[in-house]
Amino acid sequence: MDLIFRNVRIDDSLPLTDVAVLDGKIVQIAPTIAVQATQEVQGNGNVLIPGFVEGHLHLEKANVMHRKANRSGTLQEAIAVTAELKPTLTREDILERSTQVLRALVQAGSTHVRAHAEFDPSQGFTGLDVVLELRERFRDVIDIQVVAFPQEGILKLPGMKEMMVQAMEKGADVVGGIPYNDVSPLEHIDFVFELAKQYDKDIDLHQDFADDAENMTIEYLARKTIEQGYQGRVCVGHLTSLGAVPPDRQAAIIDLLRQAGISVMCLPATDLHLGARGDSHNVRRALTPVRALRDAGVNVCLATNNIRNAFTPYGTGDLLNIAQLALSACHLGGADDQATVLAMLTTSPAKALGLKNHGLAVGNDADLVLIDTQSVRDVILDLPARLMVLKRGQVVATSEHRRSVAF
C-alpha cells in the first residue's frame, strides 16, 4: 500500500477503522488492515471524510472588494460595480488572486471546484483563459471544472453568441448561463441547451435570483431538461425565487425539479447579503428552500459563490463556514437536519458535478480529508482543523493544529 490511515472514524455508528490507498485509489476499508504501507498515518480516532466539493465559485473576481464597494448591498449595484471593474483586471492580477483562493480551498479540504469564469466584449477572455490555465497547472492538487459564464447576458450583447462558442472551443467544461440578466430569458435558455448539446457538455445556470417569484423560468428550464434528455446534467445556483412561491405550487415545482434531475446550489453567504434589500420590516431570508428540496429528493448542495467582492464582501473559501451559516439560515440546526448537511458539501455536489468516483468507498479516488474531531456529527459544529488533505492519494495540505492546551 502507498498509505494507510489507522484508527480513523468514518461513521459514528461504526468502530474505528483503517483505510488503505494504492495508486491514488481507496483499495481497502477494514477494522484492521494487516499489511504495511509506505506511509502510515495514525488517525487517533479523528474523522476521515471525502474531500469537500466546492460546486459554485467565481475565482477571477475574488478579493476585489477594496477596489470598488457595493454601497447599497443590492444585486443591481453588485452587477454594475463588477462590470465597471472587469476591464481593469489584468492577467497577472487574476492569476495572483485566483491562486490565493485555490490555495485557501485546498488548505480547507476542497479537492474539487466548479469555477464560473466570465467573459464579454469589454474584457475579452482574460478571466476565462487564466482559469483554464490554472485548471492545468493545479490538476494534481485540485480538480477545476470551468464554466463558460456570460454574466452580462448573451442575446443583448453583440458578439456574445460567438464568444460562447469560442469559450467551448477553448476548452470550457460546462455551458453556463444567467437567464434573468438577458432580454429574453427563455431564448437564453434555448441557446444554452443548443450549445451544450453541440459540445456534449453539462449545463450550470445562475437561476431565478430574486426576492419574489414573478419572473421565474425554472419550470421552463425543468421541462426543457426533460424534453432534451438532459436529466442529471443540469445544475442551478441561487434559485431564491422558489422560496417566495406558495406551498402547493412550490411542491409541484420541486417535484418537477426532481423529475428533471436538476441539482440546486444554495449560496447562503451571497443570497443573505444581497437578498430582501427592499424589505422595510420582517426582512425575508431570501434563500432557496433547502429542506423542502432535500425532503422531496432533489440533489441540493451548499456552495460559496463569491469571496470578498461586490456580491459577497466576506468569505475565506472554507466550506465549513458556509455550512455553519446554513445551519441557522436554512433551518438545518435540528439534530436530524444536521446529519444531512455534511453530504451537501461532499457527495451531493460531487453528484451535481458528475463526479463518478468521489466518496469514501473502495474503488473511489483517494480524495480525502483527515479532520481534527472525533465525531462525524461534530465536523460542522467544531470547525476543526484539516489535519491532512489528499488528492488522488497524494498529500497536498497539512495542519499542525493541536487540541490540547496547558490548562
Side-chain angles (χ1 to χ4, degrees):
M1 302 296 177
D2 295 326
L3 182 149
I4 296 178
F5 288 101
R6 302 285 187 187
N7 297 311
V8 292
R9 178 79 64 195
I10 64 173
D11 188 316
D12 289 339
S13 65
L14 299 175
L16 298 181
T17 190
D18 292 353
V19 177
V21 174
L22 179 65
D23 295 332
K25 298 285 187 179
I26 301 168
V27 293
Q28 190 175 357
I29 300 173
T32 302
I33 296 176
V35 301
Q36 300 299 304
T38 303
Q39 182 178 7
E40 303 246 343
V41 178
Q42 293 301 323
N44 301 313
N46 284 315
V47 170
L48 186 71
I49 64 171
F52 295 130
V53 177
E54 173 56 79
H56 186 119
L57 187 66
H58 296 267
L59 277 175
E60 80 281 4
K61 58 188 183 188
N63 297 330
V64 294
M65 180 182 64
H66 62 285
R67 301 184 187 180
K68 187 171 180 60
N70 176 358
R71 300 294 180 187
S72 68
T74 62
L75 173 61
Q76 292 72 25
E77 186 174 351
I79 292 174
V81 164
T82 304
E84 186 175 335
L85 280 177
K86 278 190 292 189
T88 72
L89 305 181
T90 65
R91 177 189 179 278
E92 292 73 21
D93 174 33
I94 295 171
L95 186 63
E96 179 182 0
R97 288 181 293 99
S98 297
T99 301
Q100 290 173 351
V101 174
L102 289 170
R103 184 178 293 114
L105 260 62
V106 173
Q107 190 69 53
S110 287
T111 57
H112 299 77
V113 57
R114 176 173 278 185
H116 292 253
E118 41 186 277
F119 50 88
D120 57 56
S122 70
Q123 66 166 336
F125 287 108
T126 305
L128 177 74
D129 287 342
V130 168
V131 178
L132 287 170
E133 177 184 334
L134 290 171
R135 181 184 65 185
E136 303 310 312
R137 181 182 298 188
F138 294 116
R139 63 184 312 117
D140 294 328
V141 179
I142 183 170
D143 283 330
I144 304 173
Q145 285 189 5
V146 183
V147 182
F149 178 51
Q151 170 74 75
E152 308 303 329
I154 298 173
L155 309 173
K156 66 183 180 182
L157 295 179
M160 270 302 293
K161 285 185 177 181
E162 292 76 12
M163 290 189 80
M164 288 292 289
V165 173
Q166 285 180 267
M168 304 314 298
E169 290 291 333
K170 283 174 172 284
D173 302 294
V174 182
V175 180
I178 183 167
Y180 58 82
N181 195 32
D182 215 336
V183 291
S184 174
L186 302 188
E187 289 182 39
H188 184 110
I189 292 170
D190 290 343
F191 176 83
V192 166
F193 269 95
E194 289 172 11
L195 191 61
K197 293 187 73 175
Q198 179 182 343
Y199 286 91
D200 191 23
K201 298 295 185 181
D202 289 356
I203 291 170
D204 197 328
L205 301 179
H206 288 54
Q207 182 70 34
D208 294 339
F209 188 17
D211 297 337
D212 55 54
E214 292 178 3
N215 298 302
M216 290 174 58
T217 58
I218 188 61
E219 292 164 285
Y220 181 85
L221 174 66
R223 293 191 179 98
K224 182 89 175 180
T225 300
I226 296 169
E227 170 195 313
Q228 296 296 317
Y230 248 62
Q231 293 95 325
R233 302 191 64 180
V234 177
C235 185
V236 296
H238 299 294
L239 194 61
T240 55
S241 293
L242 187 58
V245 176
D248 288 347
R249 184 184 172 212
Q250 184 185 92
I253 294 172
I254 289 175
D255 186 61
L256 187 58
L257 290 174
R258 181 191 58 77
Q259 294 176 48
I262 293 177
S263 294
V264 177
M265 294 284 170
C266 176
L267 312 172
T270 298
D271 298 348
L272 286 169
H273 174 66
L274 296 176
R277 285 287 177 169
D279 291 354
S280 61
H281 62 286
N282 196 21
V283 178
R284 291 168 286 179
R285 299 184 185 209
L287 296 170
T288 198
V290 171
R291 293 175 69 202
L293 289 161
R294 177 204 64 194
D295 292 347
V298 174
N299 186 45
V300 61
C301 319
L302 297 169
T304 299
N305 190 39
N306 278 293
I307 298 174
R308 303 188 189 190
N309 61 19
F311 294 88
T312 317
Y314 41 73
T316 64
D318 189 339
L319 274 173
L320 287 186
N321 292 135
I322 298 297
Q324 269 210 349
L325 179 60
L327 288 183
S328 54
C330 302
H331 281 165
L332 294 170
D336 292 339
D337 289 309
Q338 281 189 35
T340 70
V341 177
L342 187 57
M344 296 179 189
L345 314 177
T346 56
T347 53
S348 294
K351 179 180 179 181
L353 270 59
L355 307 181
K356 305 302 183 186
N357 300 299
H358 191 75
L360 222 168
V362 171
N364 283 347
D365 292 336
D367 294 337
L368 303 168
V369 188
L370 184 64
I371 304 274
D372 190 26
T373 191
Q374 306 277 303
S375 172
V376 176
R377 67 176 175 271
D378 291 336
V379 167
I380 293 168
L381 300 181
D382 289 349
L383 291 177
R386 297 345 96 88
L387 299 174
M388 183 176 287
V389 183
L390 266 65
K391 182 64 185 172
R392 286 186 284 274
Q394 299 298 312
V395 178
V396 292
T398 60
S399 169
E400 297 300 321
H401 179 73
R402 294 181 181 143
R403 284 182 286 115
S404 59
V405 293
F407 57 87

